[in-house]
Amino acid sequence: MKDSMLNAIETRLGLSRRSFMQFCAAMAATMGLPKGADAQIAHALVSAKRPPVIWLHFQECTGCTESMLRAEHPTLEKLILDIISLDYHETLFAAAGHQAEAARRASMAANKGKYLLVVEGAIPTKDNGVYCKVGGQTALEMVHECAADAAAIIAIGSCASWGGMPSTSPNPTGATGAPVILKDKAVVTIPGCPPNPYNFLSTVVHYLTFGKLPEVDAKGRPKFAYSRLIHENCERRPHFDAGRFAQEFGDEGHRQGYCLYKLGCKGPETYANCPSILFGDVGSGSWPVGTGHPCIGCTEQGIGFQKPIHELAELKYVLPPVGYPRIVEEQGQGMSAGSAALVAGVGGLAVGAGAVMARNLGKNKKPDDTDFGKE
Amino acid sequence: MSRLVIGPFNRVEGDLEVTLEAADGRVASAQVTAPLFRGFEQILIGRAPLDALVIAPRICGICSISQSVAAARALGQALGVTPPPNGALVADLLLAVENAADHLTHFALFFMPDFARSDYAGRPWHAEAARRFAATAGQSAREAMAARARLLHVVGLLAGKWPHSLTLQPGGVAKSVDLGERVRLGQIVADFRRYLERNLFGGSLESLTALDSFVALEQWGERHGDSDLALFLRLSRDLSLDSQGRGVGRFLSYGGITGRAGLWCDGRVAPLDLAGLREDVSHGWMQGGALHPAQGQTRPDADKPMAYSWSKAPRLDGLSCEVGALARQAVSGHPLIADVLACGGWQGSVHDRVVARLLELAQLVIAMEGMIAALSGEGAYCREHGVPGRAEGAGLTEAARGALGHWLRIEDGVIAGYQIVAPTTWNFSPRDADGNPGPLEQALEGTLLEPGASPPLMVQHIVRSFDPCMSCTVH
Ligand code: SF4
Ligand code: SF4
């Protein structure tokens, strides 16, 4: 890449050349792209025309936008200004009222077929959608109007992905996600409440670099971020395998950093890259389980918000670790340390969930999801 | 009479519409509409009590820690448990960080960009305002966002994730703090202090919080002319923001980190008694009568005649109250705010709301430093507890935007009632059964509608001076 181009990025993004290359490499790594992709990304970010973006807010809490605002290297505002061109965003935009609506329509007309549509928040369908109106228009009408000529659509957050929090039973407003409303369109979903900002950034960067959105699973989620269970990469996993559990917040096991399974951790049934990508740019351990709270399954429809927090997770499968730590020295003969760990894992379960888990354990069940293990 | 509908209202948190009736070039009356409803209070019914800790905070991604604090306190009261000293300190620290981040976001991203608009070109301060605060591009706005992101590292360290951190429990917090982390926390807050002193205020936090009068504040602005605060004071004087957006003159505070609880009226503080609290639904798309939140209900009715908002209208002894930083400072009697309010006829104004917020920003940082110093390696961060089959609890706290309360009732081991009264529910409430307007509706009355910019700029300043959070208002 030309030097002059890299020099320009220093002033544009306020990043040193080195940090910029690091950012590109990190993006490439997040997406599991092959060697050389970082250079392609760098080239695209430096030279590509900024795609116009329309960002819609529906039944939401602005949490998704907020988590973007705190992303660093680079911050979203830099991304807005320098990588994409944000033509409509209610929280950040300068104009108010009909001016903003006019700007949205003008941008959509001028960039017909070329703009990226980002949807944040759920879409209520009950009573013709009266529960969410923007400028007199219901969310339902607006999302159809904006999607018609979009080049690509990203649903950010669990609300936009499937309805999220507002769709929790009894779903008072008939809230649902963008993929359900826009049946005939491809919608990439980035679930999470809020989702990890880097998963969103990576998706946008992928679009900029390769002209298309990344490969997705059956639920429309980018495979690079949602193909592994939390439980597979969790730093507390050795404790799970050894049968060491916290039983209550603040008890001895909790203070020792043991596995949070018995506090209702949904890591064993939730697909997301939280433990490896982390939150908040402060280094290791900065994710909910890392700071002592069980995973609530916020990226997973039917689990996040829907299942009681203290209900035990269904173990999708258990792959035994290569070796178990010896936790019951004296019992070496009659019962292997490994089966002791498993029994400890089953002990104290609620009856229903226990049966499911025991069965899974007994059969040493393999994943139902055939995507497992592939990138 | 002519009618003007403003909406969507940008650069506020969530969705908002304002309808103005104009007569003789002034606002004759205003109607504030919250056009979004999700039904949290219905979703919570029938759930395990502790699920409230995960569900209730998702009302709002801006003040989710405040919501967590209120939920944890309501549960704590019902369960009969309180956090140990370390746990209470961490909870307070998280709340202080969130409040400070919110105040800064409001000033730099939501309030000041209006003064960078070309409608103000020609004013002596306009070029400076545009350079510093033009929406998404101003120098000061960018610096503020960077400082805020660094401050939020505190939440990353202590709670893993923000918004919707999960760490707060009725018995304390899910994570203890070791010595190394305490040092890091100290560094983060010291870095934020440097940003405030250098860029936002131009002087030390201690000298700012020691100001005791309107005149002293003006002099500060002249001494530290290069700061963002000085720019605000200059343009506020030019536009007479101290006489705009006069409120109801009744200030309510539940007592946050920087102050005490009480009700302020005409310069006097009365102790807080919430027995007379009612949520009126006469002009909301809701069925039912005016009830105390402990007995409250949420029954939406989109077709109700006369109604114009999803928001309920909280009233204390039949009267509306303003909540927020200005209310907290008035109730706790800070001399600067007492003087500023006295100068403006004890009603509050656009200027007063902004000054109170910035003053509090300085106080919050000083308070954070004290909390970090008081954290101890010894002692628990969380206490264990059971969950009774039948209990009640109320959780009161102060979010950045003002008084926040959760009222919880447990029956047969599950949630039987859960009502939330958020700060902007107070400030942006619709009319009540007696026809009394909510605080913003009142503050807009009489505002001069200058020809030119549409929607009128002063209307926008007044609306944003409350720092509304519409996601919280209706839930
Ligand atoms: S997904 Fe979560 S953070 Fe995002 S808007 Fe919905 S509730 Fe808020
Ligand atoms: S159950 Fe949760 S805490 Fe335990 S190892 Fe799995 S993901 Fe980690």
Side-chain angles (χ1 to χ4, degrees), chain B residues 16 36 45 70 79 81 112 166 233 235 250 256 260 263 311 323 395 397 412 422 436 439-440 465 469:
Chain B
L16 165 68
L36 170 68
I45 305 278
L79 275 41
V81 64
M112 290 301 279
L166 293 163
L233 293 173
L235 63 85
R250 262 182 315 280
R260 57 183 165 148
L263 181 71
S311 180
V323 300
T397 185
D412 301 326
N436 296 318
L440 171 67
S465 74
C469 176

Side-chain angles (χ1 to χ4, degrees), chain A residues 59-64 120-121 156-159 165 192-195, chain B residues 58 163-164:
Chain A
Q59 267 183 320
E60 42 88 59
C61 73
T62 326
C64 293
E120 178 178 348
I156 183 170
S158 300
C159 291
M165 187 57 242
C193 188
Chain B
R58 283 181 161 77
H164 307 328

Side-chain angles (χ1 to χ4, degrees), chain A residues 58-63 66-67 69-70 72 77-78 81-82 88-101 130-136 165-166 168-170 172-173 193-194 248-251 254 279-282 286-288 291-294 296 298 305-310, chain B residues 5 7-8 10-15 17 35-40 42-43 47 50-51 54-55 58-62 109-110 114 117 135-137 142 145 148-150 152-153 156-164 166-167 169 174-175 184 300 302 310 382-385 454-455 460 464 471:
Chain A
F58 296 133
Q59 267 183 320
E60 42 88 59
C61 73
T62 326
E66 285 293 320
S67 77
L69 282 177
R70 64 163 305 187
E72 292 166 65
E77 36 103 1
K78 287 202 184 95
L81 292 171
D82 300 304
Y88 181 86
H89 187 288
E90 270 177 53
T91 312
L92 302 174
F93 212 56
H98 300 293
Q99 275 178 351
E101 289 300 292
V130 286
Y131 299 97
C132 176
K133 283 187 165 184
V134 183
M165 187 57 242
T168 304
S169 62
T173 62
C193 188
E248 288 278 346
F249 284 102
D251 74 3
H254 189 247
F279 291 86
D281 303 294
V282 284
S286 58
W287 65 297
T291 51
H293 196 285
I296 61 161
C298 71
F305 328 119
Q306 193 65 44
K307 269 200 178 180
I309 308 313
H310 284 72
Chain B
V5 183
N10 290 52
R11 270 183 303 109
V12 300
E13 305 286 10
D15 296 320
E17 262 173 38
L36 170 68
F37 175 77
R38 290 164 294 172
F40 273 79
Q42 293 156 286
I43 291 172
R47 312 260 328 198
L50 291 171
D51 283 4
V54 167
I55 294 175
R58 283 181 161 77
I59 290 165
C60 177
I62 325 301
L109 239 57
F110 299 152
D114 280 328
R117 297 175 52 155
T136 70
R142 282 181 167 224
M145 281 306 92
R148 168 185 186 273
R150 291 198 303 274
L152 284 169
H153 286 174
L157 276 177
L158 296 178
K161 182 175 181 180
W162 185 88
H164 307 328
L166 293 163
T167 192
Q169 299 294 316
K175 185 184 175 343
R184 264 183 95 182
W310 287 111
C382 198
R383 287 197 183 111
E384 298 176 38
H385 56 75
S454 171
Q460 300 198 43
R464 295 205 178 91
S471 313

Side-chain angles (χ1 to χ4, degrees), chain B residues 116-458:
Chain B
R117 297 175 52 155
S118 56
D119 310 80
Y120 282 127
R123 296 283 187 172
W125 39 263
H126 176 261
E128 192 57 22
R131 186 178 74 74
R132 288 177 190 240
F133 290 105
T136 70
Q139 174 77 23
S140 295
R142 282 181 167 224
E143 283 162 3
M145 281 306 92
R148 168 185 186 273
R150 291 198 303 274
L151 176 66
L152 284 169
H153 286 174
V154 170
V155 187
L157 276 177
L158 296 178
K161 182 175 181 180
W162 185 88
H164 307 328
S165 319
L166 293 163
T167 192
L168 293 152
Q169 299 294 316
V173 292
K175 185 184 175 343
S176 53
V177 180
D178 64 28
L179 186 63
E181 286 163 336
R182 243 162 63 209
V183 172
R184 264 183 95 182
L185 292 172
Q187 286 165 342
I188 297 168
V189 174
D191 170 69
F192 189 67
R193 171 188 268 269
R194 259 196 307 282
Y195 155 77
L196 289 182
E197 294 187 338
R198 252 188 232 154
N199 304 41
L200 193 70
F201 298 133
S204 80
L205 302 186
E206 282 71 14
S207 60
L208 185 86
T209 54
L211 295 176
D212 58 2
S213 70
F214 189 91
V215 177
L217 177 66
E218 288 291 308
Q219 288 166 347
W220 165 285
E222 276 149 37
R223 270 202 314 280
H224 307 283
D226 195 33
S227 62
D228 294 335
L229 171 59
L231 172 66
F232 166 72
L233 293 173
R234 269 204 300 285
L235 63 85
S236 169
R237 209 174 322 133
D238 186 45
L239 299 173
S240 304
L241 295 184
D242 57 342
S243 63
Q244 297 290 341
R246 292 276 169 81
V248 292
R250 262 182 315 280
F251 294 112
L252 170 87
S253 167
Y254 292 160
I257 287 160
T258 58
R260 57 183 165 148
L263 181 71
W264 186 101
C265 193
D266 292 331
R268 266 189 301 280
V269 182
L272 191 64
D273 178 4
L274 292 180
L277 172 61
R278 295 288 178 275
E279 281 204 294
D280 180 292
V281 293
S282 57
H283 291 76
W285 287 303
M286 295 281 162
Q287 293 174 1
L291 297 170
H292 188 279
Q295 285 87 45
Q297 299 173 339
T298 302
R299 291 188 288 146
D301 175 5
D303 301 317
K304 184 167 155 183
M306 295 286 292
Y308 60 87
S309 180
W310 287 111
S311 180
K312 299 179 185 176
R315 298 289 186 263
L316 187 57
D317 301 323
L319 298 171
S320 63
C321 301
E322 179 173 337
V323 300
L326 180 58
R328 285 191 288 271
Q329 298 293 342
V331 170
S332 53
H334 191 283
L336 170 61
I337 297 305
D339 189 56
V340 159
L341 280 171
C343 294
W346 290 348
Q347 282 175 299
S349 66
V350 172
H351 165 273
D352 301 354
R353 290 181 194 107
V354 175
V355 168
R357 223 171 262 125
L358 294 178
L359 168 69
E360 195 170 83
L361 190 51
Q363 291 175 333
L364 283 168
V365 171
I366 296 170
M368 287 175 210
E369 291 166 345
M371 292 169 196
I372 295 170
L375 276 177
S376 141
E378 308 293 305
Y381 279 73
C382 198
R383 287 197 183 111
E384 298 176 38
H385 56 75
V387 179
R390 201 185 178 85
E392 282 187 2
L396 305 180
T397 185
E398 285 283 322
R401 295 165 175 84
L404 167 67
H406 287 199
W407 281 264
L408 156 80
R409 205 171 67 246
I410 302 173
E411 282 168 19
D412 301 326
V414 297
I415 296 175
Y418 205 105
Q419 291 284 314
I420 299 149
V421 185
T424 312
T425 321
W426 285 97
N427 288 340
F428 281 28
S429 57
R431 282 167 172 66
D432 55 35
D434 297 332
N436 296 318
L440 171 67
E441 294 181 333
Q442 171 134 354
L444 285 169
E445 276 179 23
T447 303
L448 188 64
L449 294 169
E450 305 227 29
S454 171
L457 288 173
M458 195 52 75

Side-chain angles (χ1 to χ4, degrees), chain A residues 15-211:
Chain A
L15 276 178
S16 73
R17 187 185 294 210
R18 194 183 138 91
S19 325
F20 176 67
M21 292 312 295
Q22 272 170 352
F23 167 70
C24 295
M27 286 282 123
T30 304
M31 290 184 274
L33 295 172
K35 206 160 169 280
D38 48 344
Q40 264 177 296
I41 290 174
H43 191 263
L45 292 190
V46 171
S47 50
K49 196 174 165 296
R50 306 184 302 164
V53 170
I54 306 280
W55 191 306
L56 300 178
H57 291 248
F58 296 133
Q59 267 183 320
E60 42 88 59
C61 73
T62 326
C64 293
T65 291
E66 285 293 320
S67 77
M68 295 294 145
L69 282 177
R70 64 163 305 187
E72 292 166 65
H73 345 103
T75 58
L76 178 75
E77 36 103 1
K78 287 202 184 95
L79 187 79
I80 290 164
L81 292 171
D82 300 304
I83 299 179
I84 63 178
S85 157
L86 192 68
D87 286 0
Y88 181 86
H89 187 288
E90 270 177 53
T91 312
L92 302 174
F93 212 56
H98 300 293
Q99 275 178 351
E101 289 300 292
R104 172 172 69 80
R105 294 222 162 85
S107 167
M108 279 167 42
N111 299 294
K112 203 170 166 174
K114 285 187 289 213
Y115 61 85
L116 194 63
L117 178 67
V118 179
V119 181
E120 178 178 348
I123 299 157
T125 56
K126 203 172 132 192
D127 301 327
N128 295 319
V130 286
Y131 299 97
C132 176
K133 283 187 165 184
V134 183
Q137 217 180 1
T138 62
L140 260 174
E141 292 161 349
M142 200 160 165
V143 76
H144 278 299
E145 181 192 326
C146 297
D149 293 317
I153 305 168
I154 302 178
I156 183 170
S158 300
C159 291
S161 296
W162 79 78
M165 187 57 242
S167 72
T168 304
S169 62
N171 194 353
T173 62
T176 188
V180 173
I181 303 291
L182 305 171
K183 274 197 196 66
D184 49 340
K185 301 258 170 192
V187 180
V188 171
T189 64
I190 317 276
C193 188
N196 193 295
Y198 292 108
N199 289 338
F200 174 75
L201 269 177
S202 305
T203 305
V204 174
V205 164
H206 190 284
Y207 178 73
L208 276 177
T209 309
F210 305 108

